[in-house]
Amino acid sequence: ACANAKPTARVDEAMVVLDRMVANGVSPNTITFNSLITACANAKPTARLDDAVRLLERMLESGLVPNEYTLPALLKCCRNDSDRAENLFTRLIGPVRLSKHVKKQLWLAMSPHQADRLCKWAATERPECLLPVRSVR
């Protein structure tokens, strides 16, 4: 819910709600974490990358698996930090498929040369991340 709210101080509010959920025995799911990470990406005046990474760690510690929405939201947070974008990409590209949305956020987070290099690396080192080619009938 907070991911679609005004991207200002609502992130702090959402973090408090997450803590209350857990305190009351409600287990957050992947959608919960993706919504919070997206809120961090949309925060103004700058994205809240450290908060987003902490949420990712919390998500992983909960035994949840990132999906095709997690990585693009994290990459959106990294628009001014290409080294961290590369680190997150190489860490998560196995369970997350290399979709057009992931590629777009990757190219926005870093130089086109870096993004192309990482996509080639993923195709070689993590072939399971490639989307299957659909047959044309």
Side-chain angles (χ1 to χ4, degrees):
C2 290
N4 294 325
K6 292 181 181 179
T8 55
R10 304 290 304 213
V11 174
D12 294 324
E13 225 175 282
M15 299 288 204
V16 170
V17 170
L18 175 66
D19 291 337
R20 285 185 188 157
M21 285 174 57
V22 173
N24 288 309
V26 178
S27 298
N29 60 22
T30 302
I31 295 169
T32 306
F33 283 105
N34 285 346
S35 296
L36 289 167
I37 292 169
T38 300
C40 290
N42 292 332
K44 302 291 182 201
T46 60
R48 295 173 59 164
L49 177 57
D50 291 334
D51 288 331
V53 170
R54 277 193 290 279
L55 285 164
L56 172 67
E57 294 300 333
R58 197 166 166 182
M59 177 183 186
L60 295 170
E61 288 169 6
S62 298
L64 298 171
V65 179
N67 64 19
E68 66 274 11
Y69 300 102
T70 312
L71 183 55
L74 286 163
L75 290 173
K76 186 174 180 184
C77 288
C78 295
R79 289 198 176 162
N80 296 319
D81 194 339
S82 62
D83 290 338
R84 287 185 75 186
E86 182 170 345
N87 178 276
L88 288 166
F89 178 84
T90 56
R91 181 176 175 194
L92 296 179
I93 198 58
V96 177
R97 300 290 183 137
L98 191 57
S99 67
K100 286 181 184 178
H101 190 59
V102 170
K103 286 181 183 179
K104 177 183 176 189
Q105 290 304 326
L106 184 64
W107 289 323
L108 290 171
M110 58 184 52
S111 74
H113 173 72
Q114 286 175 301
D116 286 340
R117 180 179 51 78
L118 283 176
C119 289
K120 287 176 185 170
W121 170 85
T124 305
E125 299 295 323
R126 301 274 168 75
E128 71 277 7
C129 76
L130 300 178
L131 293 171
V133 177
R134 293 188 178 143
S135 60
V136 179
R137 295 181 191 215

